[in-house]
Structure formats: structure tokens, C-alpha cells
Amino acid sequence: MNTIFNYVFTYPRIPIFAKGSFKLLNIQADKVMISLLILQWFIATFVTSILYDTYYYGFFGGGLIVVPIMILYPFLKGDNFYRYLIAIAMMLFSVIFIQQYLGRIEMHFHIFITMAILTLYKDIFPLLVAAITTIMHHIIFNYLQLYEVTLFDMPVMVFNYGCGFDIVILHAIFVMSEFLVLGYLIRLQREHNIDLNIARNKVFELNKELKHTSLHDSLTGLPNRLYLNEQIEKVKEYADKNSQKFAIVFLDLDHFKNINDTLGHDVGDALLQTVANILRNVVNKNDLITRIGGDEFIIVISDFENDDELLPIISNLLEKFRQELLIKGYSLRLSASIGVSIFPDDSASIRELMKYADIAMYNAKADGRDNFSFFTQSLNTKIHNEVDIINDIQRAFYDNEFKLYYQPKIDANSRKIVGAEALLRWIHYEKGIIGPDVFIPLAESTGFMLGLGKFVIQESSRAIRRFSDLGHHDLKISINISTRQFQNTDLYHDLKDELSINSVNPNQLGIEITESIMIQHINKTLTTLREIKNLGVSIYIDDFGTGYSSLSYLKKFPIDTLKIDKSFVDDINEDANNDELLLNTILAMGKSLGLDIIAEGVESEFQYNYLREQGCDIIQGYYFAKPMPEEDFIKLLREEHL
Ligand code: C2E
Ligand code: CA
Ligand code: CA
């Protein structure tokens, strides 16, 4: 049968993707048909009552047709079979009621209209069913009339003139031609609709693709932050409903920037892809893995009861990262820092959870990297305090709350003040004195240290000017230069400018740098240091002995003085033989290179005496004096010796 119709109508095939929308269309058509049936039911009742005064016949007869259709709607809507039932029902109204009370012509007109309406189903079969119903009606009622049967006390009459089978065939031909015309109409409608569907589907696919690219990271193929934001809401809803937990695991690669900078972006990119694969392998398939930026990943782990269950996953991750990775011919060792926050224990707000995981991750980094940390409220307070400080630094700067304190440096033999180290202090209007160990790392992290560094250069130059004006022309003041400041400012010109503005003798100024500066960007550092040295400014190596510098470095760089770190001075022990001390070696090495030596953090007389005997030139430490404000230092300068 199907093939016959395909042959007659070359019926367009419905593509799979369009099936759904056809079904929707048919459900809508079902609704239209049911409304029409109800309307017809109403007409049948109404017409009957006026003409024949047989309300019951109209009402119950119509109801018999309409009510089953209505009852079946929720179960069968959109179904092929339901469409055929509706076609029969529609036709029954024409052939029973319309024909009965309005006449044959009206009936045929009505049949045609009904079949036309049935084309709303983009389906040939309801039409066929309707046509067959009509033909069957003609055949059945023809014979009912022949045998003079009565229905509901009314004689059945199909044709009011003598009937014959030829007439039935004639009607069948009418109906079939109606069927062909309307069938063709359906074909046109369907073709058009499929075109539309194809177009709609293309748009849909394109949208899907666009959505995929906007929600995924093209490098690793992992979902991105946008996707995470979308999905995590769903995860939260689910967890909320089922009173379950989920964890936000924030993973950040350690020193990724170094790899990118030194080995190039190709290697960096390949590394990120490897990392994505490691994550895919280690993390459960049901958990969400996203790359939210550069070397930052967020994994959402759900479906665990106890926080301890997360530990194996996390340590496994860290373990996998530690393995040697072969990437583009480089064998790289990687590590990651991980921070974890848990819903709903830490917070019920996604935004807060994300922030907390981030805070925990930074804590893991601060704890020495290659590490993980769970969020706790105390971490939060710590960060809050730090944020408060960061926000306050700028204000403090303009309120002149930063001051330089001076810690005297004493000649070991004469006990005279030969100079001082300038040390920053923050005299906070509310909190009192804040030490540099608290605010300098924070100022560094925001870049504000550069401004603060300039301030130190300016302020120390002015102070040297004041000390000279008081007659202290040989006093040497040293200032500390952070690594960041050394690398990101034009230190040479800053020093040169300030010295000349205040007409200060460059010999009275020294800079203290740490060993770590020397091993980074060697050539540039060397050039800068030579320029500074040529200016007349002295160069001190601070915290000496704690870094990585070797003898060859010390020879290469234009250094004047080593400042032996306090930790070596602490080793000097009153009750033991001090022959084996590292301090002795350092002292001997410095001397052999012809460098001056300052011992830092000298707190006792014993330490002082020992250092002097070992040939240490200059002593700095609480034993003689703590860092102090400029006025106090000036007062101290008046003393012969300490
Ligand atoms: P540093 O350069 O090693 O400075 C010496 C630190 O040791 C100072 O701490 C000083 O007060 C302390 N100290 C000196 N003698 C003794 C002693 O006998 N016993 C003990 N326990 N400590 C002693 P301070 O002033 O708190 O400075 C800490 C660090 O902050 C400095 O370490 C320096 O790295 C940094 N810093 C201070 N001022 C500046 C600055 O203007 N610029 C930069 N970049 N860093 C600064
Ligand atoms: Ca120092
Ligand atoms: Ca030091």
C-alpha cells in the first residue's frame, strides 16, 4: 500500500530529525480536529432539535462519536492510529447528521471540507480512511435503504430516487478524486515543511556547534569557565535536592609560566594538553573537568559521603603530575597545587565556594607548592586581613605612614657607627607599627612595591643629605632592593637622579640585594650592577649563605660587601667549640675575595667578640642597636662609640 501511494504522490520521505516536529504538528492538528468535532457535536444536537425535536438522538449519537475520541486524546495524541479514528469520526458527522438533516449536496460539500481539513495532518492515510469511510457509507446505506431499514424511527434513505450500484460507484469516483486532489495538497505541504525543517535543523546544528566552541577550550577540548558556570548550578540543584555534597577542586600548575617563557608556547600548549589527559584519566567520568584559564583547572567532584574519600583522588592527581613527562622532546617534571572547597560545608553559594577553593589553592602554594589544602574559615580570615592590608597600603602611602628606620652598623674594632641599614616601617594610624615582613610580600604581589621602592631611594637620599649637613660625611646608608624592583624598574637612573637632586655623594649609598637576583637574567643584571657600581654606589649581598650563589658568581659580579645571614650568626655557641662553623668558611671565603664582611643579627656580646676575632669588619644587630627612627639615630650618632 505504502509503495502505491509513494508511486502516486512521490511522497516526500520525512528525515529522522524532522520526525519530532512532524509529531508536534500532528498533535496540534489533533487539537484542531477535536475542537471541530465538538463544534459538530453541538451542531448535530442543535440541528436535530430544531428540525426533528430529537435532542437525544443528536446529543447521544454525536457524543458516541466525540467522547471516545476525547477520552483517548491523552493516550494517543500524535499517534498514527488516533489520526485514523479522528478521520472516521469527522466523516461520520458528514454522512450521518449532515446528510440526514441537510441533504446530499450539503453532505458532499461537507465531506470535501472535512477531507481538506484532514490535510492538516501531513499524512495521506487519514485522508484515505476518510475516503473509505465515505465509500463504505454509500455501500452500507444503499443496502439499508434497499431493505427499508429504519433507524431511530426514521427511514434510512440514501438516494431519494431509485438507487443502483452505478450511483454508488459514481460517488466513489467523486470521493476518490477528492482524495487525489487533497492528497496532492498534502504532498506539497509536506515538501515545504521538510524544507523548512532542514533549514531549521541546519540553524540548530550551527547553533549547537557555536555553543560547543563557546563552551569549550579549543586547546585541550575541555569545557571552559562558561560551561562550568552553567553546569555547576545544575550540580548544586541536584545536590540540594538529594542532600548530597560536592567538592570544587581548584588545580593550578606550579611554575607553568617558567616553562612557557623558557621553552616556548608550543611546549606550554602541549603540556596543557597532557595535563588535560591526565585529568581525564584520573578523574571519574561523571565528574566535571574544566579549564578555566591559562594553567588553572576546576574539577567538580560529586557523589561522596565523607571528605576523606577525596584524599585518594587528590593525592593520585598530585602523584601523576610528579611523574616525568616527555613533551616535544623535553623531559619535564611538573607539579600542581590544589585547593578544595566543599558544598554545603564551606558555603552554599557557588561564588563563595569558587573563591574558597581559590584561597585554599593559594594556601597550598604558600605551603611550598606540590601540595593540596582544604578550605577553612581561618584561611579566610587570614586572606581577609591580607586583603585589608593591600587595600590600605595605597592610602597609607599618601598619608605618609611609611617611614625609614635606621639600624646602625658598627665597626667591629672601634665600635663606632660607620653606617646604617634603612628599613621600612609602616606607622599605621590605628594599628601602630607594622613590620616589613607583613606588608612587603603583599606590596610585592600587587606591584605596589615598585612605588614603595622609589620612595625608599628618595627618602634615603634625603636622609643622607641631612646626615651630611650635620657633619656625618662618611656615613654609609644601605637600602634594600627587592628582586622585583631590581628587574622591573630602571634602578640605575632612579638612583642617579635622586643622588644628584639631593647632591649626595654616591659613596654614601649602598644597595642590598639577595643572591637570587644574581642568578636570574645574568647578563642584564651584570650590566645594571656595573652601571650602579660605576656611579659610586656600593653593592651588598644580603642574607649571604642562604642562596645558591657560587664562588664563580661572586667573582664575576661587582660586589663590595657580604652580609652574613643571621642564621649563621645564631650558630655561634657560647658553650661549644665553634671551629666547625659554616660561618668560618664563609668569612674566609669573603676575605679571600677581598670583600668586606658584615655580620647581621648579632645579639650577644659573645657573638660580637667571636666575630671580631674572626676578622669580621662590621657588626649589625640588637646587641648594639635596633632599627630606630631618624631622630633617635641622629642622637646616637653624637656618641663617641657604642
Ligand atoms: P633584612 O634585609 O635581612 O633586614 C634585617 C632584618 O633583621 C630587619 O628586620 C632587622 O630589624 C632585623 N634584625 C637586625 N638585627 C637583628 C637582631 O639582632 N636580631 C633579630 N632577631 N633581628 C634583627 P625588619 O626591619 O623587620 O626587616 C625585615 C626584612 O624586610 C628585611 O630583611 C628586608 O628583606 C625587608 N625590608 C625592610 N625594609 C625594606 C625596604 O626598604 N625595601 C625592601 N625591598 N625590603 C625591605
Ligand atoms: Ca637587608
Ligand atoms: Ca639580611
Side-chain angles (χ1 to χ4, degrees):
M1 182 97 115
N2 221 340
T3 44
I4 298 172
F5 286 114
N6 280 348
Y7 178 74
V8 176
F9 298 109
T10 38
Y11 219 53
R13 235 162 43 90
I14 306 174
I16 303 269
F17 62 78
K19 285 247 158 72
S21 58
F22 269 97
K23 177 152 178 150
L24 270 180
L25 266 176
N26 284 333
I27 292 176
Q28 275 173 339
D30 283 345
K31 283 189 205 150
V32 172
M33 301 302 164
I34 289 174
S35 324
L36 285 174
L37 280 173
I38 293 169
L39 182 70
Q40 286 180 328
W41 186 12
F42 175 77
I43 291 172
T45 311
F46 180 70
V47 169
T48 318
S49 67
I50 289 198
L51 287 178
Y52 293 91
D53 198 26
T54 49
Y55 302 95
Y56 297 125
Y57 170 56
F59 182 72
F60 288 107
L64 219 60
I65 301 170
V66 179
V67 173
I69 298 286
M70 286 168 66
I71 291 174
L72 288 173
Y73 175 77
F75 309 105
L76 290 179
K77 61 182 171 193
D79 202 282
N80 292 343
F81 181 62
Y82 192 53
R83 245 169 277 158
Y84 310 152
L85 286 185
I86 285 180
I88 294 171
M90 302 270 286
M91 275 308 137
L92 287 182
F93 272 104
S94 315
V95 298
I96 299 173
F97 298 100
I98 305 294
Q99 134 123 343
Q100 196 81 23
Y101 305 118
L102 295 183
R104 290 174 291 128
I105 308 289
E106 288 76 6
M107 175 191 84
H108 275 284
F109 190 62
H110 198 265
I111 284 175
F112 186 72
I113 300 271
T114 303
M115 283 179 60
I117 290 171
L118 283 172
T119 64
L120 260 184
Y121 292 119
K122 306 277 181 283
D123 185 359
I124 195 87
F125 291 102
L127 214 59
L128 188 63
V129 169
I132 291 171
T133 308
T134 315
I135 294 166
M136 290 302 289
H137 156 80
H138 280 95
I139 295 169
I140 293 166
F141 276 65
N142 188 30
Y143 283 94
L144 287 179
Q145 190 185 23
L146 273 183
Y147 295 106
E148 296 184 344
V149 180
T150 53
L151 268 179
F152 303 105
D153 297 331
M154 289 176 284
V156 171
M157 36 180 199
V158 178
F159 311 107
N160 43 13
Y161 47 85
C163 57
F165 205 69
D166 51 341
I167 302 292
V168 174
I169 292 190
L170 192 68
H171 277 83
I173 291 171
F174 281 152
V175 173
M176 279 318 282
S177 41
E178 284 170 13
F179 168 73
L180 289 176
V181 171
L182 294 171
Y184 187 69
L185 185 69
I186 291 181
R187 183 192 147 180
L188 292 183
Q189 288 187 0
R190 238 171 111 146
E191 253 172 9
H192 174 66
N193 217 298
I194 288 172
D195 280 353
L196 261 185
N197 268 312
I198 289 173
R200 202 182 305 149
N201 199 56
K202 279 246 168 67
V203 171
F204 179 73
E205 296 240 296
L206 271 174
N207 270 335
K208 225 168 90 174
E209 208 178 292
L210 261 177
K211 197 158 178 190
H212 184 87
T213 36
S214 73
L215 290 179
H216 286 75
D217 155 40
S218 57
L219 180 65
T220 61
L222 288 178
N224 61 15
R225 188 187 279 277
L226 265 176
Y227 184 82
L228 173 72
N229 291 344
E230 261 185 37
Q231 289 301 308
I232 202 156
E233 287 297 336
K234 294 182 191 160
V235 174
K236 185 191 154 186
E237 245 170 60
Y238 184 82
D240 243 347
K241 251 193 222 139
N242 302 287
S243 8
Q244 279 184 353
K245 292 179 166 198
F246 68 87
I248 295 184
V249 177
F250 196 122
L251 185 145
D252 187 292
L253 302 181
D254 298 332
H255 304 300
F256 175 72
K257 203 177 163 298
N258 282 353
I259 293 177
N260 227 8
D261 289 351
T262 51
L263 302 181
H265 289 276
D266 276 0
V267 178
D269 285 354
L271 182 69
L272 288 172
Q273 284 166 341
T274 311
V275 166
N277 287 334
I278 293 178
L279 293 178
R280 285 194 189 102
N281 287 334
V282 174
V283 176
N284 191 319
K285 292 269 170 303
N286 298 327
D287 294 330
L288 185 62
I289 310 167
T290 57
R291 175 173 173 230
I292 57 159
D295 58 344
E296 295 176 336
F297 298 83
I298 282 188
I299 304 153
V300 182
I301 298 181
S302 16
D303 204 17
F304 60 93
E305 310 253 300
N306 198 317
D307 300 357
D308 292 346
E309 290 170 45
L310 292 172
L311 290 176
I313 304 176
I314 291 168
S315 49
N316 196 10
L317 263 178
L318 288 176
E319 182 65 44
K320 285 271 154 35
F321 278 112
R322 267 177 229 138
Q323 281 167 16
E324 203 157 308
L325 304 172
L326 199 70
I327 286 158
K328 298 226 163 193
Y330 293 95
S331 132
L332 300 176
R333 241 171 226 292
L334 198 64
S335 68
S337 300
I338 292 178
V340 185
S341 66
I342 291 170
F343 173 93
D345 305 1
D346 294 329
S347 169
S349 132
I350 300 282
R351 245 186 44 155
E352 269 185 356
L353 283 169
M354 296 272 204
K355 197 177 82 188
Y356 289 171
D358 198 9
I359 288 176
M361 191 278 292
Y362 271 99
N363 187 54
K365 279 227 191 280
D367 272 0
R369 301 187 152 90
D370 190 10
N371 214 333
F372 69 91
S373 158
F374 279 80
F375 174 78
T376 60
Q377 275 308 326
S378 66
L379 269 186
N380 201 23
T381 334
K382 187 177 143 207
I383 295 281
H384 265 289
N385 291 342
E386 288 183 354
V387 169
D388 283 350
I389 291 178
I390 288 172
N391 290 334
D392 207 22
I393 285 183
Q394 203 127 0
R395 175 206 59 77
F397 186 70
Y398 293 111
D399 284 354
N400 289 321
E401 288 188 355
F402 289 100
K403 293 272 180 294
L404 282 180
Y405 271 37
Y406 296 88
Q407 185 177 34
K409 291 177 183 165
I410 315 293
D411 181 286
N413 294 312
S414 68
R415 296 178 72 115
K416 275 189 178 153
I417 299 175
V418 291
E421 177 176 6
L423 293 159
L424 261 177
R425 293 290 178 271
W426 178 355
I427 321 288
H428 195 279
Y429 73 103
E430 230 176 37
K431 299 177 187 159
I433 297 179
I434 303 176
D437 288 334
V438 175
F439 66 83
I440 284 184
L442 298 177
E444 284 259 337
S445 72
T446 57
F448 195 73
M449 194 58 217
L450 303 182
L452 220 46
K454 269 204 170 137
F455 164 80
V456 171
I457 295 174
Q458 187 182 53
E459 199 41 42
S460 56
S461 300
R462 289 179 185 166
I464 296 174
R465 177 75 261 141
R466 290 191 285 269
F467 298 145
S468 297
D469 290 348
L470 290 170
H472 305 289
H473 301 291
D474 299 326
L475 208 60
K476 278 193 131 182
I477 303 296
S478 63
I479 57 174
N480 292 283
I481 306 291
S482 76
T483 310
R484 198 103 179 261
Q485 186 187 358
F486 190 89
Q487 273 154 6
N488 294 322
T489 59
D490 189 349
L491 191 60
Y492 166 69
H493 282 105
D494 288 347
L495 290 169
K496 192 176 164 205
D497 292 350
E498 277 309 319
L499 289 172
S500 74
I501 288 171
N502 297 298
S503 36
V504 165
N505 176 2
N507 289 328
Q508 283 191 268
L509 186 69
I511 59 167
E512 298 192 3
I513 56 174
T514 55
E515 290 163 280
S516 58
I517 291 179
M518 299 200 298
I519 56 171
Q520 291 172 26
H521 313 286
I522 296 175
N523 288 329
K524 189 174 164 262
T525 306
L526 205 55
T527 318
T528 312
L529 285 179
R530 284 196 182 129
E531 281 175 339
I532 292 171
K533 171 88 179 166
N534 287 338
L535 200 62
V537 173
S538 313
I539 293 163
Y540 300 70
I541 300 298
D542 206 354
D543 305 336
F544 186 74
T546 59
Y548 314 94
S549 58
S550 63
L551 211 64
S552 63
Y553 274 102
L554 290 179
K555 277 189 190 153
K556 207 170 179 176
F557 286 81
I559 297 158
D560 299 279
T561 308
L562 295 185
K563 293 190 77 177
I564 298 180
D565 191 65
K566 180 175 184 300
S567 56
F568 299 103
V569 175
D570 288 344
D571 288 341
I572 302 171
N573 193 333
E574 213 162 325
D575 309 318
N577 179 356
N578 288 312
D579 287 353
E580 306 276 296
L581 284 185
L582 218 57
L583 177 100
N584 304 344
T585 322
I586 295 174
L587 265 169
M589 190 174 86
K591 285 274 158 204
S592 75
L593 288 170
L595 301 174
D596 284 341
I597 311 246
I598 301 181
E600 279 195 284
V602 178
E603 291 180 343
S604 70
E605 186 170 6
F606 184 83
Q607 286 172 337
Y608 159 63
N609 284 328
Y610 181 84
L611 285 161
R612 192 191 39 168
E613 280 159 22
Q614 291 289 320
C616 180
D617 313 292
I618 297 167
I619 305 291
Q620 180 184 345
Y622 292 177
Y623 173 61
F624 286 110
K626 289 193 171 180
M628 59 190 80
E630 190 179 322
E631 314 84 77
D632 295 355
F633 180 59
I634 289 173
K635 272 184 212 151
L636 206 65
L637 281 174
R638 295 198 196 111
E639 317 231 332
E640 252 319 275
H641 55 79
L642 295 183

